[in-house]
Amino acid sequence: MKRVIIQSCLNICMYFLAAFFISSIHDQLQLFQNDPVSGTGFNLTLDFSIILPILLVAIGLSITGYWMRTDKKTSFSKWSSSTTEFSDQDEREEVITGKATRTSYVTFLITLPVLMISFLFYAPLMATFPNFPFYAIALVLTAGTLSYMTAWVYYYQK
């Protein structure tokens, strides 16, 4: 249970760090501003304070996931190429994972239409919050991950 909670929380951190990273690229990217021939060309500057948290969380996610893996005999290369959230120790955890995955799927089915409705107000949202699409995607992924984690813990304790 601890494995699912830690990995889910770190995945949620990665979603929002990725949204922040992509939105900072969106803000700083200048692509042929005035004229493609004599304009600015391609200019992108990234701040190290944006990249460092992403690297730290990704390293933390990898290390904790590898230490908490269910099959201790697998090598790092084999482990890292599989989906660690769906690794089960027994039949009970397979059933729990199936129920949690179903819950997460239903959450996606609900949150995606809500997100589509919010895009009806795209112009006013973009005027006040220009990076809305990046954070909206992070919110949908977070809702699915939170519902998976909550359902997994609920069915595990049941």
Side-chain angles (χ1 to χ4, degrees):
M1 180 171 69
K2 185 169 58 170
R3 170 182 53 88
V4 172
I5 293 171
I6 290 173
Q7 287 179 338
S8 296
C9 291
L10 287 174
N11 281 336
I12 290 169
C13 289
M14 281 299 289
Y15 300 150
F16 283 101
L17 285 172
F20 180 67
F21 177 69
I22 294 170
S23 65
S24 70
I25 290 174
H26 177 260
D27 291 340
Q28 296 175 12
L29 188 63
Q30 298 175 2
L31 196 61
F32 304 114
Q33 286 280 317
N34 301 327
D35 184 19
V37 177
S38 62
T40 58
F42 183 79
N43 185 15
L44 176 66
T45 56
L46 294 176
D47 190 13
F48 188 66
S49 64
I50 297 171
I51 297 172
L52 184 63
I54 292 174
L55 289 175
L56 291 176
V57 171
I59 290 169
L61 186 61
S62 297
I63 290 172
T64 56
Y66 185 68
W67 281 343
M68 300 176 115
R69 68 189 187 280
T70 55
D71 185 11
K72 301 290 184 185
K73 296 176 185 175
T74 57
S75 65
F76 182 77
S77 61
K78 185 175 181 182
W79 169 84
S80 63
S81 63
S82 65
T83 55
T84 57
E85 289 87 1
F86 302 126
S87 57
D88 305 316
Q89 292 179 346
D90 55 13
E91 291 83 18
R92 178 177 174 257
E93 285 190 6
E94 287 178 9
V95 171
I96 292 170
T97 300
K99 289 180 180 180
T101 304
R102 191 174 306 120
T103 303
S104 179
Y105 178 73
V106 169
T107 303
F108 278 124
L109 289 178
I110 293 169
T111 56
L112 281 175
V114 170
L115 178 66
M116 288 179 202
I117 291 169
S118 71
F119 278 113
L120 290 172
F121 309 102
Y122 186 71
L125 276 173
M126 290 301 286
T128 57
F129 191 47
N131 297 320
F132 169 72
F134 308 120
Y135 290 101
I137 292 170
L139 281 172
V140 169
L141 292 172
T142 298
T145 303
L146 277 176
S147 65
Y148 176 83
M149 178 184 70
T150 305
W152 207 96
V153 169
Y154 173 76
Y155 289 118
Y156 184 82
Q157 292 179 345
K158 193 173 180 181

